[in-house]
Structures are given as C-alpha cells and as structure tokens.
Amino acid sequence: MIGLISATAAGAAARDRLAAAWPDRTRVYEGPVGDAVRAAFAQCEQLVCFLATGAVVRLVAPLLSGKTEDPGVVCVDEGGRFAVSLLGGHAGGANELAREVGDLLGAEPVVTTATDAVDLPGLDTLGLPVEGDVAGVSRALLDGEAVALRAEVAWPLPPLPVTDQGSHTIRLTDRLVEAAEREVVLRPPTLVVGVGASRGAPVEEVLGLVEGALREAGLSVASVAELATVDAKAEEAGIVEAARRLGVPLVTYSAGELAGVDVPNPSDAPLAAVGTPSVAEAAALVGGGELLVPKRKSAASPAMATCAVVRRPGRGRLAVVGLGPGARDLLTPRAQAELRRASVLVGLDQYVDQIRDLLRPGTLILESGLGAEEERARTAVEEARKGQAVALIGSGDAGVYAMASPALAEASDDIDVVGVPGVTAALAAGAILGAPLGHDHVSISLSDLHTPWEVIERRVRAAAEADIVVTFYNPRSRGRDWQLPKALGILAEHRTPATPVGVVRNASRADESSRLTTLGALDPTTVDMMTVVTVGNTATRDIAGRMVTPRGYRWQAAQEGAR
C-alpha cells in the first residue's frame, strides 16, 4: 500500500489525482502531517509526501530502522514539478515509484542513487535474493574496476560490465555458500522441491524435512522456486503452510501427469493412496531438470512427509520488441523496459541506431544488414538458449511483417518468449490520414521475396471483391516496380477511380510526408519502400481533407439519402 500525505490545497489536489488513478494501491492519510507520516511509515510499503524534502527528512529520521525494512519515500514539491526519490530507492522501490508518479503528474523524477545515475542495474534490484558486499561490489562497478562474474547456474541477467577475472566478484549460485570478501552472491530460483505428505502431516515436519534436505545437499533455501505436489494434496495444511513460510508458490499436478514421469524410486504406497507411484520425485521432475536429492522421508515415526529436490535448467529469455514507426514518443514504455533489461540485443543495424542510446552499458549488440532476417532470428534464439536475456528488435510491431514470426519458428519450449507490441506502420499512417481503418481492413505485403506473386495476387483480389480497406506494405522498390500497379488495377475492377487513397512516407519520422489522392490519380512511381499505401473501400470518403471510412453502412446510406 502507498500512503499519501499532503499539507496544502495544491498538495491535496495532486494527492487526490494519485488516489483516483491508483484506488487499490493508495491510502490517504488525513490530520496533522507529523501524525500522518508516522502512521503511514508504520503501515505502508511506500509513501508519497506532498511536502518539502527537508520537512520529510525531519519527520522520518526518528523512524528509520534499516534499508531493508524502511518503506520507500517519494517527495513531490508544491508546484508538482519534481518527484524526488528520498528514501529506499532500491529496496523500498522509491526510484521506480518516483518515475510512476512523474508519469502520472507530469513531474520530473529525481533519482540520485549512483547506479541509476550512470544507468547500471543495481545488484539489489535484479529480483533475486542478494547477499554479501553489495555496496563494495557496486562501487567497483561504478569506478570501472574489474568485477568477475561466476555463474554456476545459467540465469538471464541484465547487462553488467563484468569480466572473467577481477578483484571483486558477482557469484550466481543456488549452493549454500557464504559470500567471500568483496563478493556478492545472487540466488536464482532454480530449485523445485517435490513434496508428498500423509493426511494431517504437521507443517513442522514438512518444513523441517525440506530445509534439512536442502541443507544436507548444500543447497540454499533462497533458491527454491516452488513446492510441487499432487492435486490431491493441494489443500493439505502442512504443505500449504510450508509453502507460505518459504514464500514460494505451491504448484500441483494431476496423478495422471505424475504417473507419466520416469522416477528412480517409485512406490506402491502413493499409487494406492493417490493414483501415482511417485509424488515427491515426480512432482519435482515433471518440468525436467537434474535430480539433486532423491526421495527422502522425514525423521518422524511414522514418517508423514517425503521430499525430493530438482535443479531446473535456467531458461533464457527472448523478448521480441516492436520499436514502432520511428518516432521516439511512439516507442512504448514496455519496449523501453525490455531494451534496458536485455544483456544481448539483436537487430537490423539501422533499427539498432534508433535505440542505441537507450541500452545499458555492457549490452552485447549483434547487428546485421538487410536480408539477414533468418540469421538474426537464429542468433537471437541461440543467445537465449545460452541463458541470456535477449531482445530481438523490429520496426512497427514485431509480429507484423517483422521478426516475431521467424524467431518463433526457430524457438522451442526451452526458452521463455515475450512479445512486446509496437505501433505498426498501418496504424501510424492511418492516424496521419484521418480514420481510413474505421471498418474492416487488411494489410498485404507486395514483396514477393518470401511469398509467390500468385498468392499475393489472390489475396489482393479477395480483398477487392470483399470491399475491404487495404494497406499495402513494401509497395514498390527499384527492383519490384510492377507489383503496385498490378495490385491497384485489381482493386480498380471493384472500386471507382474516385476511391480515396492515402500515401504516407516515413510515418512519424522527421521527414514524414503524406498526401490524399484517388485510385485513378495515384502515380505508382511516387511510391517507394518507405511508403505505406492505404486504399479505401466503397464507403471511404474524403472529408475536409481527411480519409474516413465509416464504422457501418447505415451511415453511408443516410448520407446517400440526404443527397
């Protein structure tokens, strides 16, 4: 919960805007400011104070406990110009909250944590449990000293300026080890603990078994990703409470799923009880991985719990990111976040140049020229399979005539794939022209490099006969100069010469140009590969110089009747 505190009318107005935007995330604290700050500090994970920073410093100073316990505090000035991350920038989430508040109120976020100032990911912001000399290793990164990465398990990290050797170390491991001097230990969630239990098994027995098995195997409980069991035990109190105390989800599988898993230690007892010869081992192994701790029973007599531990291989992450039509303000916040998260960027060289300034230091850039789409797709998938966090970029929406299709054709289920939508060329051009896509519409690429012309022509003819608005991508190049006239001719068999046609070149970019013409007047030689051509249907009209396709035909009938 975010506590909101204000002292003036202007502060209250800004406060109420946040409360209205985030009704489920915020709570307004009224009354004397000192009492309100103290109450919110004790009850909330974060605070937004519409007060001077000096006043907030004096109010919260006596309340501080430590960076891992204190809430994040953001201050917004009286004029609403700045959102200052004052306390708990990383651990309390105040840096990100300052950015969110800034976006909502139109204020400039002020973040002074050193790693953020130089665009390095903070070691305590990676979403992994962290131990050791966080401050010392962070200083080494900031000072440009050699910091070694020892990755004992694969896990997709954001870009970090690390080397093979160094006086400081970042160790990525699920082993039960203590951080050495000048070392940070990161705990990725690689371990799955399968659990079985008799009815009424006490939580102390289940939890003691799990923790003991991990400890004896030299594994860290901080790397446990989940407890897993059979559906029949989904509400077994001892298992449910053990998962809660460990702070991990409880995942369940049907007896049929578990019975199909090959395990080293099957038993007749669970087969008779729940319909599968293995619960603990099968539940841990159902997603694949290395069995580190075979089935073991609790020490109680009679034993009421069993467990097994599996290390699942770290999964790489491939984000397929649409950059939009080119304008920076049409690049979505989600796309920017994925670019900053990626340790490897794969893309066409001219698209890489568009967003190079958004990448964090240390990002590996793998760029290539036109015509290497399949190679880029293979490269991105290969890098993800190495356990990397990869961003594969394309213009517009990556799923529309771009990189998502070849990449997903290469990818199997051994990596995580995230699609990040972008503003397509058709949408950008449509917004410039007016509302040409107000009714049914279709996009067709006239490039026959990957699709036979016979197929393209059949699709154009179908759109023409169905009276659908058509947007042509890749309409004409120096080597392909006859396809656009041919496609326009097909449409002209079903539409009048007066049908509106919109032509937009370099939509949203500095040299953007657009014009509204007609099917009969369009000169195909004025069109190139940077152009999108939108041909209206029989209802599309030129209204005040804008291309408009009505949402329904009753509107058109009413207009015709009025004439």
Side-chain angles (χ1 to χ4, degrees), residues 62-238:
L63 310 176
L64 302 180
S65 298
K67 68 180 297 183
T68 59
E69 293 85 20
D70 294 331
V73 178
V74 171
C75 290
V76 179
D77 66 288
E78 182 74 5
R81 295 172 300 170
F82 303 103
V84 182
S85 175
L86 183 69
L87 179 69
H90 286 167
N95 290 351
E96 183 57 33
L97 180 59
R99 297 185 182 100
E100 289 186 83
V101 170
D103 286 343
L104 188 59
L105 300 181
E108 180 72 22
V110 179
V111 176
T112 59
T113 23
T115 49
D116 293 86
V118 297
D119 210 18
L120 282 175
L123 297 176
D124 53 354
T125 66
L126 302 181
L128 303 177
V130 58
E131 305 164 13
D133 187 11
V134 175
V137 175
S138 297
R139 276 196 301 272
L141 290 170
L142 290 167
D143 292 342
E145 298 180 30
V147 176
L149 175 63
R150 291 176 56 192
E152 298 175 8
V153 292
W155 198 259
L157 295 175
L160 292 165
V162 293
T163 61
D164 293 331
Q165 301 290 331
S167 58
H168 294 74
T169 305
I170 299 171
R171 187 174 180 182
L172 189 67
T173 183
D174 55 17
R175 292 287 177 185
L176 186 60
V177 295
E178 292 188 9
E181 186 179 0
R182 297 183 176 183
E183 183 177 67
V184 162
V185 174
L186 297 174
R187 306 284 191 190
T190 55
L191 305 178
V192 177
V193 181
V195 179
S198 302
R199 184 177 300 174
V203 62
E204 290 78 11
E205 183 173 344
V206 176
L207 193 58
L209 172 64
V210 170
E211 293 176 339
L214 291 167
R215 184 171 56 252
E216 292 176 22
L219 300 170
S220 173
V221 70
S223 282
V224 174
E226 62 190 43
L227 294 193
T229 191
V230 67
D231 282 347
K233 299 296 179 181
E235 297 182 5
E236 185 63 48

Side-chain angles (χ1 to χ4, degrees), residues 31-399:
V33 168
D35 294 342
V37 168
R38 285 187 288 272
F41 200 92
Q43 298 168 4
C44 297
E45 291 81 23
Q46 295 174 319
L47 282 70
V48 179
C49 299
F50 297 87
L51 305 164
T53 54
V56 178
V57 167
R58 286 190 292 272
L59 288 169
V60 302
L63 310 176
L64 302 180
S65 298
K67 68 180 297 183
T68 59
E69 293 85 20
D70 294 331
V73 178
V74 171
C75 290
V76 179
D77 66 288
E78 182 74 5
R81 295 172 300 170
F82 303 103
V84 182
S85 175
L86 183 69
L87 179 69
H90 286 167
N95 290 351
E96 183 57 33
L97 180 59
R99 297 185 182 100
E100 289 186 83
V101 170
D103 286 343
L104 188 59
L105 300 181
E108 180 72 22
V110 179
V111 176
T112 59
T113 23
T115 49
D116 293 86
V118 297
D119 210 18
L120 282 175
L123 297 176
D124 53 354
T125 66
L126 302 181
L128 303 177
V130 58
E131 305 164 13
D133 187 11
V134 175
V137 175
S138 297
R139 276 196 301 272
L141 290 170
L142 290 167
D143 292 342
E145 298 180 30
V147 176
L149 175 63
R150 291 176 56 192
E152 298 175 8
V153 292
W155 198 259
L157 295 175
L160 292 165
V162 293
T163 61
D164 293 331
Q165 301 290 331
S167 58
H168 294 74
T169 305
I170 299 171
R171 187 174 180 182
L172 189 67
T173 183
D174 55 17
R175 292 287 177 185
L176 186 60
V177 295
E178 292 188 9
E181 186 179 0
R182 297 183 176 183
E183 183 177 67
V184 162
V185 174
L186 297 174
R187 306 284 191 190
T190 55
L191 305 178
V192 177
V193 181
V195 179
S198 302
R199 184 177 300 174
V203 62
E204 290 78 11
E205 183 173 344
V206 176
L207 193 58
L209 172 64
V210 170
E211 293 176 339
L214 291 167
R215 184 171 56 252
E216 292 176 22
L219 300 170
S220 173
V221 70
S223 282
V224 174
E226 62 190 43
L227 294 193
T229 191
V230 67
D231 282 347
K233 299 296 179 181
E235 297 182 5
E236 185 63 48
I239 297 177
V240 172
E241 179 62 15
R244 190 193 69 79
R245 293 190 191 182
L246 290 170
V248 298
L250 176 62
V251 179
T252 64
Y253 302 96
S254 69
E257 288 177 281
L258 299 186
V261 178
D262 187 26
V263 298
N265 300 293
S267 171
D268 292 335
L271 181 61
V274 293
T276 172
S278 173
V279 173
E281 286 182 340
L285 283 166
V286 71
E290 176 188 5
L291 183 62
L292 302 179
V293 180
K295 182 181 75 174
R296 59 183 292 172
K297 297 181 179 180
S298 56
S301 182
M304 299 184 72
T306 60
C307 81
V309 182
V310 164
R311 176 187 289 135
R312 287 187 182 168
R315 293 172 63 86
R317 189 176 191 275
L318 173 60
V320 187
V321 181
L323 300 181
R328 178 58 59 85
D329 60 354
L330 292 180
L331 177 67
T332 67
R334 186 179 299 180
Q336 294 189 50
E338 288 294 346
L339 295 175
R340 291 171 57 78
R341 176 175 181 165
S343 58
V344 179
L345 181 88
V346 182
L348 179 67
D349 47 14
Q350 63 190 37
Y351 298 152
V352 172
D353 288 341
Q354 290 180 23
I355 48 84
R356 196 182 299 269
D357 63 302
L358 296 177
L359 305 177
R360 290 188 187 274
T363 304
L364 174 63
I365 300 174
L366 303 176
E367 53 188 315
S368 52
L370 286 168
E373 288 82 6
E374 293 180 356
E375 176 190 340
R376 284 195 291 275
R378 284 193 295 271
T379 297
V381 172
E382 288 168 2
E383 291 295 323
R385 285 183 176 141
K386 295 176 185 177
Q388 301 278 16
V390 182
L392 174 63
I393 59 173
S395 67
D397 182 285

